[in-house]
């Protein structure tokens, strides 16, 4: 299974967990970014190992090719000296090194494909990782907004309009009751003042009447 496919499975599993368990979206995204970072570390390590193997194979091929060339030159020297038997032995050694070089060359081609694919996948993952880090806060805000909106819808759908109206009516009744009490208190204070002044005025009338009787 490829690196990117594995990463996709991890991210999908995390988002499913967010939906099913209502986890903190910030923790989910932080974990996703951390997993992507770990994937990058593992992929870079794998790429480094693949390149190291590739370079090692190239060195072996170069050594075998050099040995092949060396035994070819020895075969020529043997022929020049008129020693055909020795020349044949040298050519057999040359052929052995050539076969080993050819076998490693086939392996090297496969290694080159692996290295090329790893480099391509690494660039793709690096781009995704950079994008995820840059947009993490935006994703968190969007997830929180979506969850808040869903919560509001749930609360709104559960509201009982009749009970709401009843509450409003009770509040209005209470306000009217308080206003009525205030008006009654004000009227009571006014009546009391009126009675006091009326009593004073009656006393003043009596005093005036007595004064007239005394004068006459």
């Amino acid at each position: 299974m490829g690196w990117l496919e594995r990463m996709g499975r991890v991210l999908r599993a995390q988002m499913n967990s967010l939906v099913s368990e209502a986890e903190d979206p910030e923790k989910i995204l932080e974990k996703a970014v951390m997993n992507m970072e770990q994937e990058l570390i593992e992929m870079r390590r794998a790429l480094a190992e693949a390149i190291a193997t590739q370079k090692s194979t190239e060195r072996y091929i170069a050594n075998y090719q050099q040995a092949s060339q060396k035994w070819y030159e020895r075969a020529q020297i043997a022929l020049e000296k008129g020693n055909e038997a020795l020349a044949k032995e040298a050519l057999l050694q040359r052929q052995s090194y050539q076969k080993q070089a050819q076998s490693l060359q086939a392996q090297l081609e496969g290694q080159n494909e692996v290295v090329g694919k790893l480099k391509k996948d690494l660039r793709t993952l690096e781009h995704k990782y950079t994008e995820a880090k840059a947009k993490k806060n935006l994703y968190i805000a969007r997830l929180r907004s979506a969850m808040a909106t869903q919560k509001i819808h749930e609360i709104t759908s559960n509201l009982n309009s009749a009970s709401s109206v009843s509450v409003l009516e009770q509040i209005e009744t209470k306000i009217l009751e308080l206003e009525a009490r205030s008006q009654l208190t004000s009227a009571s204070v006014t009546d009391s003042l009126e009675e006091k002044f009326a009593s004073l005025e009656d006393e003043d009338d009596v005093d005036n009447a007595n004064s007239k009787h005394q004068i006459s």
Side-chain angles (χ1 to χ4, degrees):
M1 182 175 297
W3 294 93
L4 297 179
E5 186 176 351
R6 255 197 321 136
M7 181 190 70
R9 284 179 53 197
V10 171
L11 293 178
R12 285 194 296 272
Q14 290 169 346
M15 295 309 295
N16 289 337
S17 176
L18 172 64
V19 174
S20 61
E21 301 179 14
E23 294 184 29
D24 185 351
E26 185 172 356
K27 291 182 180 179
I28 289 293
L29 289 173
E30 288 285 359
K31 187 176 180 180
V33 172
M34 287 177 62
N35 285 339
M36 292 177 71
E37 185 173 357
Q38 187 61 37
E39 290 282 348
L40 278 173
I41 293 172
E42 293 178 5
M43 189 178 294
R44 285 168 179 159
R45 184 183 296 116
L47 178 58
E49 292 175 356
I51 291 176
T53 302
Q54 180 189 46
K55 297 299 182 183
S56 177
T57 302
E58 290 175 347
R59 285 194 297 270
Y60 276 115
I61 291 173
N63 290 337
Y64 289 146
Q65 289 175 341
Q66 289 176 0
S68 173
Q69 182 63 27
K70 179 180 179 179
W71 283 104
Y72 177 74
E73 292 173 355
R74 286 178 174 179
Q76 286 183 323
I77 292 172
L79 286 173
E80 289 174 359
K81 300 295 184 178
N83 193 338
E84 294 185 3
L86 187 59
K88 287 181 180 179
E89 290 181 6
L91 290 174
L92 287 174
Q93 287 292 330
R94 175 178 183 258
Q95 185 178 10
S96 174
Y97 281 113
Q98 284 181 324
K99 286 181 179 179
Q100 293 183 66
Q102 290 171 357
S103 175
L104 287 178
Q105 187 63 42
Q107 293 181 26
L108 181 62
E109 291 175 0
Q111 292 169 3
N112 289 339
E113 291 180 2
V114 171
V115 169
K117 187 176 185 304
L118 283 174
K119 286 182 177 179
K120 181 180 178 181
D121 290 348
L122 179 59
R123 286 193 296 270
T124 301
L125 184 56
E126 285 175 337
H127 175 73
K128 294 292 185 182
Y129 175 69
T130 302
E131 186 180 54
K133 285 184 65 178
K135 293 185 177 180
K136 183 182 67 176
N137 292 335
L138 176 60
Y139 290 157
I140 290 174
R142 289 173 61 185
L143 283 170
R144 289 184 182 278
S145 176
M147 293 175 70
T149 301
Q150 182 180 3
K151 189 65 177 177
I152 290 172
H153 286 320
E154 290 176 358
I155 294 172
T156 304
S157 63
N158 291 330
L159 284 176
N160 187 326
S161 59
S163 62
S164 300
V165 171
S166 176
V167 170
L168 291 175
E169 289 177 347
Q170 291 176 18
I171 292 174
E172 183 179 6
T173 300
K174 189 66 176 178
I175 291 172
L176 292 174
E177 180 182 343
L178 291 173
E179 289 177 347
R181 288 181 181 179
S182 176
Q183 291 175 359
L184 287 174
T185 301
S186 177
S188 176
V189 171
T190 302
D191 291 344
S192 177
L193 288 174
E194 289 288 345
E195 290 176 357
K196 289 179 179 180
F197 277 102
S199 176
L200 288 175
E201 289 173 353
D202 289 342
E203 290 178 2
D204 188 53
D205 290 342
V206 171
D207 291 341
N208 290 335
N210 291 333
S211 297
K212 288 181 180 180
H213 286 298
Q214 291 175 0
I215 293 172
S216 58

